[in-house]
Amino acid sequence: MEEVIRIEGGHTLNGTIRVSGAKNATVALIPASVLATKPVRLVGIPNISDVKSLKKCLEYLEIDVSSTLSDEIYIDPSHMVNKPLDIEAVSKLRASYYFMGALLGKYRKVIIKMPGGCNLGPRPIDLHIKGFEALGAKVDYTNDTYTITADRLKGTRIYLDFASVGATINIIMAAVYAEGRTVIENAAREPEIIDVITLLNKMGASIKGAGTNVITIDGVKELGGCFHEIIPDRIEAGTFMILAAAMADHVTLENVIPYHLDALMSKLKEAGVHIDSKIDYVDIYRSDKLKAVDIKTSPYPGFATDLQAPLSSLLTQATGISTVTETIYPERFKHCEQLRKMGANTSVTYPKATIIGKTPLVGTDVWATDLRCGAGMVVAGLLAEGITTIHDIYHIDRGYENLDGKLQEIGAKIWRETID
Ligand code: EPU
């Protein structure tokens, strides 16, 4: 038995969608909360399975977790116990690696299984490890398990060879209780990092430089509780912009910070999509005359790697030759194979895909090989003639809250079925 998503393509979309809280901020904010000694209340939590996995990790660490609203989580770490994180929930997502920085920072010791997550080609964590070692930790990796310990953590200067989101956040968390000053150079600048720093500073940390590539952390003795509202999900918003550019007469996205999406919006406009952005909402109208564009992914504020798969589906409908060059995950092109099954004219020579359009797409069986490939298949299914069946939808449910329900509300023919 397997649950699949089915889409009958060709229906026009119309209406308003509310964007949820940012997945990639949430999955760092939840582990960051364990650094506190008092309760932390987070609102804007998306209802996705990655959050469920992280809650299991919190409960395993004997942290009180509750919620009164559906998008809220109340985390009380006052009586937590630092146990080895060797449970299955850890392996369900990449972001469980944030417990490394958080538990090391708070207890000087963490034991954790190798985290899982989407298969996007090689995803090393050497920069995280080098950062912990620079702060004074010893790292052992045996039987798929990291044991990271430190007698003391001492602030230092850390230069990241690549502006890694995960390494930046993990080093910040390991450094908040360290003695003295830590400076991270070539830090990543993603909005989700700013959100984590905002939370930590509300808890009492002393972190400067959020949103720049030099972040300074002055160690403190204690972090208290706080209330924090999570930023909107720029990747979910971007996915809806692309969906709307494919099929909307007029779709409005609410709860958006448009400047987080400048790179995508400028590419969509270049392709001929009509977009009107205001302070916290965006109107999008489909274009029947899409033009080919060239995309190159890069760290924020560049074009987000997480949006290249959904955009690739749209580009099958653009006239001319589009190229997508991936500088973050050079092998993140599994969606191209799925698009070919639907009739797309696309070829891949790592790290670049070429899409020649416009070609009609025809519904068939496709696989969500990872989260954003899944989003790409939804875009393709809406565009295709006939019925598209998407398999392995647990990837989609890891990172998009109620994607099919939100699309039904604006007129998409999309539903779930259980098949043998
Ligand atoms: N890298 C290293 N060594 C490291 C860390 C990263 O070589 O120690 C390399 C990676 O292999 C990759 C590049 O640096 O080539 C960027 O990796 P980064 O650390 O920035 O990515 P991440 O923290 O693992 C987060 C998001 C991803 C998103 C990337 C890039 C989370 C949980 N994940 O991953 O999101 O693609 O940043 O923006 O925040 C997704 O949401 O679908 C997703 C994969």
Side-chain angles (χ1 to χ4, degrees):
M1 300 281 265
E2 183 204 358
E3 191 177 39
V4 294
I5 287 181
R6 289 211 156 112
I7 303 171
E8 183 184 281
H11 297 282
T12 305
L13 308 179
N14 259 307
T16 300
I17 296 187
R18 189 170 173 79
V19 174
S20 302
K23 169 207 163 233
N24 285 345
T26 304
V27 296
L29 293 165
I30 291 176
S33 301
V34 313
L35 282 158
T37 49
K38 300 210 174 69
V40 173
R41 191 172 152 238
L42 301 173
V43 298
I45 298 269
N47 185 5
I48 53 175
S49 63
D50 272 5
V51 167
K52 293 192 179 90
S53 301
L54 288 173
K55 276 188 186 168
K56 282 192 187 141
C57 295
L58 294 180
E59 282 158 1
Y60 180 74
L61 296 173
E62 298 184 26
I63 294 170
D64 284 342
V65 183
S66 59
S67 45
T68 40
L69 304 169
S70 60
D71 73 339
E72 174 205 42
I73 181 171
Y74 182 84
I75 299 169
D76 183 355
S78 337
H79 306 291
M80 68 180 284
V81 182
N82 184 20
K83 295 191 219 166
L85 270 170
D86 53 5
I87 55 174
E88 200 198 336
V90 176
S91 316
K92 294 226 158 150
L93 74 165
R94 186 91 187 146
S96 43
Y97 61 29
Y98 289 130
F99 283 112
M100 287 180 170
L103 295 173
L104 177 68
K106 189 167 184 179
Y107 295 103
R108 311 281 188 267
K109 178 171 184 181
V110 53
I111 300 175
I112 186 168
K113 275 208 308 198
M114 183 63 191
C118 287
N119 177 6
L120 313 175
R123 294 182 80 181
I125 57 166
D126 55 308
L127 300 173
H128 306 228
I129 300 300
K130 279 185 198 160
F132 299 148
E133 286 172 340
L135 290 166
K138 287 196 179 56
V139 181
D140 173 70
Y141 182 62
T142 313
N143 296 334
D144 259 4
T145 303
Y146 283 96
T147 301
I148 310 175
T149 50
D151 294 333
R152 56 192 281 228
L153 293 169
K154 197 164 173 316
T156 184
R157 179 184 155 273
I158 297 167
Y159 175 84
L160 295 180
D161 293 330
F162 186 91
S164 153
V165 174
T168 302
I169 294 177
N170 241 337
I171 294 168
I172 291 171
M173 295 204 288
V176 281
Y177 282 124
E179 294 162 37
R181 173 170 285 192
T182 301
V183 180
I184 308 176
E185 292 176 353
N186 196 29
R189 294 184 285 162
E190 271 68 4
E192 293 75 19
I193 298 172
I194 303 178
D195 213 28
V196 173
I197 293 175
T198 306
L199 173 91
L200 292 170
N201 280 343
K202 283 183 192 171
M203 281 160 52
S206 176
I207 307 168
K208 296 187 190 72
T212 76
N213 56 12
V214 181
I215 294 176
T216 305
I217 307 122
D218 287 308
V220 294
K221 293 262 180 275
E222 192 176 327
L223 295 176
C226 71
F227 166 81
H228 183 73
E229 185 170 358
I230 298 163
I231 56 168
D233 194 316
R234 65 193 166 98
I235 306 300
E236 187 198 10
T239 303
F240 285 131
M241 274 183 195
I242 293 165
L243 285 160
M247 293 309 291
D249 271 349
H250 175 191
V251 161
T252 302
L253 299 182
E254 286 180 352
N255 193 35
V256 189
I257 300 177
Y259 80 85
H260 286 170
L261 286 142
D262 275 350
L264 173 68
M265 288 197 291
S266 85
K267 280 294 163 187
L268 287 175
K269 285 177 186 166
E270 189 185 327
V273 180
H274 179 188
I275 302 178
D276 197 7
S277 68
K278 300 285 179 343
I279 287 176
D280 61 354
Y281 71 93
V282 180
D283 290 315
I284 305 117
Y285 310 82
R286 165 183 66 187
S287 161
D288 292 326
K289 292 200 181 106
L290 286 176
K291 298 187 290 273
V293 289
D294 295 321
I295 309 291
K296 187 174 187 180
T297 68
S298 56
Y300 186 84
F303 190 94
T305 168
D306 298 337
L307 288 171
Q308 60 97 343
L311 187 65
S312 296
S313 298
L314 180 70
L315 291 177
T316 63
Q317 303 309 301
T319 304
I321 302 174
S322 297
T323 60
V324 178
T325 306
E326 178 56 76
T327 75
I328 312 283
Y329 300 112
E331 296 173 23
R332 192 180 202 178
F333 287 111
K334 295 202 178 76
H335 50 282
C336 290
E337 190 188 330
Q338 305 300 317
L339 284 174
R340 272 197 294 277
K341 292 184 198 164
M342 298 177 74
N345 184 353
T346 148
S347 56
V348 179
T349 313
Y350 296 144
K352 190 185 208 175
T354 303
I355 302 158
I356 303 175
K358 109 185 210 180
T359 47
L361 297 180
V362 181
T364 185
D365 284 63
V366 290
W367 272 258
T369 57
D370 60 76
L371 170 59
R372 307 304 172 185
C373 167
M377 292 307 105
V378 173
V379 176
L382 293 171
L383 282 161
E385 191 190 320
I387 294 192
T388 300
T389 302
I390 308 178
H391 299 264
D392 287 351
I393 58 170
Y394 61 91
H395 282 297
I396 296 177
D397 293 335
R398 279 191 40 219
Y400 286 94
E401 172 174 314
N402 190 22
L403 182 59
D404 38 325
K406 288 186 181 184
L407 288 174
Q408 279 164 6
E409 281 181 23
I410 58 165
K413 296 274 180 282
I414 178 169
W415 67 97
R416 285 175 190 244
E417 261 180 49
T418 302
I419 58 168
D420 287 332

